[in-house]
Amino acid sequence: MKIRRWSVGVLAATLLVPGVAACNSDATDSSSGSGSSASIPKDPKTALVASTKELNDGNFTFTIDSESIKGGGSVHKPSNSAQFSMTAGDETFTMEVEIIKIDSDSYVKMNLGELLAGLPGAEDMKGKYQHVDATKAGDAKSLDIFKDGTDPANAADMFKGLGEVQETGSGTYSGKIDITAAKDSVAADEDMLKALGDQAKEIPFTAKVDGQGRLTELVLSVPAAGEVKAQEITIKYADYGAASPAKKPADDEIVEANEQLLEMFS
């Protein structure tokens, strides 16, 4: 099983590498700077498209919350670093994953519970970060967090699929959105899109922007379809321009990545 960039759906299905994750990110609606309010476009669609521009600077924190996924992290492009942690699963299986990216080095920590018991080398990897050097493991493309942009939810592409949009208050919006426009988004897993079919092209949503017109919250109301439960997927952004660089794990917590991990992320 391979893992594409930021794909939590595929990630949750991989059962090959041991470890223990540390999920402890909690972005709020705070934002950096105390300057005067920006001129937010009056047209709702234009305002939402413009709200994603500062995400390109790659300096913010985020959280993601849904029926099967809870997590978050930070992106700090000035130091070419990022951190993402999550818990994913259901009543039958839960996994935890943390990925730390610093320049060309990635550190991956996973906890897959009893499913890895007895796997050769599992005990040596337990509780460790597996290190991948991108300059020596070029096939592990999915660990290049900055390759296709810095936003794990890919809101800019998602807003290319905006349908009807209404301004519901100061800095708040609602409408319909085509989530198939953002196939690399954590909110648009391939299995979910397949189950939803044409419904994926008209997903109800609400959104909020701050006083400077920057996106702070996007809530997708996904209907039930096949094995997909009706649910709300909530993505929040905060700390624009004020995120912290990711920190390298302690040396005694690091081991070199095994072949299974490299295969999953290739």
Side-chain angles (χ1 to χ4, degrees):
M1 180 68 70
K2 295 184 178 181
I3 299 175
R4 61 187 175 87
R5 188 180 74 90
W6 294 112
S7 175
V8 288
V10 179
L11 187 58
T14 56
L15 307 175
L16 296 176
V17 185
V20 176
C23 284
N24 189 23
S25 292
D26 187 16
T28 67
D29 287 341
S30 65
S31 58
S32 65
S34 57
S36 60
S37 296
S39 177
I40 301 175
K42 292 183 178 180
D43 177 70
K45 285 187 181 181
T46 303
L48 287 180
V49 170
S51 74
T52 67
K53 289 182 179 179
E54 198 163 326
L55 292 172
N56 293 328
D57 294 342
N59 193 339
F60 57 88
T61 59
F62 64 95
T63 61
I64 298 165
D65 190 357
S66 73
E67 176 73 21
S68 58
I69 300 163
K70 296 184 186 298
S74 61
V75 177
H76 193 258
K77 198 171 183 180
S79 63
N80 202 36
S81 70
Q83 178 269 337
F84 175 59
S85 58
M86 75 162 192
T87 301
D90 54 29
E91 61 275 5
T92 62
F93 171 70
T94 300
M95 70 179 294
E96 296 176 323
V97 179
E98 182 179 8
I99 299 175
I100 297 172
K101 172 78 173 175
I102 303 174
D103 292 323
S104 63
D105 295 300
S106 294
Y107 306 90
V108 182
K109 196 176 186 183
M110 302 177 73
N111 178 13
L112 304 179
E114 297 180 359
L115 290 176
L116 273 298
L119 190 72
E123 280 302 312
D124 293 336
M125 298 294 177
K126 188 174 181 180
K128 302 292 185 179
Y129 289 89
Q130 295 195 59
H131 169 245
V132 179
D133 182 346
T135 64
K136 300 177 182 178
D139 288 339
K141 305 178 188 70
S142 296
L143 291 174
D144 188 354
I145 290 173
F146 298 115
K147 181 172 180 272
D148 298 315
T150 59
D151 176 18
N154 207 359
D157 277 353
M158 194 174 294
F159 283 161
K160 291 177 182 177
L162 285 172
E164 58 182 75
V165 182
Q166 303 85 33
E167 184 176 9
T168 56
S170 179
T172 62
Y173 305 87
S174 68
K176 298 280 184 72
I177 193 169
D178 178 0
I179 62 173
T180 66
K183 297 191 180 206
D184 277 332
S185 170
V186 293
D189 173 69
E190 288 178 350
D191 291 337
M192 176 183 288
L193 293 178
K194 184 177 179 180
L196 289 172
D198 288 341
Q199 292 184 95
K201 297 180 180 180
E202 291 190 326
I203 298 296
F205 79 92
T206 61
K208 296 179 182 178
V209 302
D210 64 14
Q212 298 183 50
R214 302 173 299 194
L215 184 65
T216 58
E217 180 180 282
L218 175 61
V219 181
L220 305 172
S221 297
V222 179
E227 295 184 0
V228 175
K229 295 181 179 180
Q231 60 184 293
E232 286 192 343
I233 300 174
T234 301
I235 304 155
K236 293 185 178 182
Y237 301 94
D239 303 315
Y240 283 99
S244 299
K247 294 182 179 180
K248 177 185 174 182
D251 289 343
D252 61 1
E253 294 182 294
I254 300 172
V255 296
E256 289 304 307
N258 59 27
E259 291 300 320
Q260 291 98 327
L261 183 85
L262 297 177
E263 173 64 20
M264 283 195 303
F265 284 91
S266 65

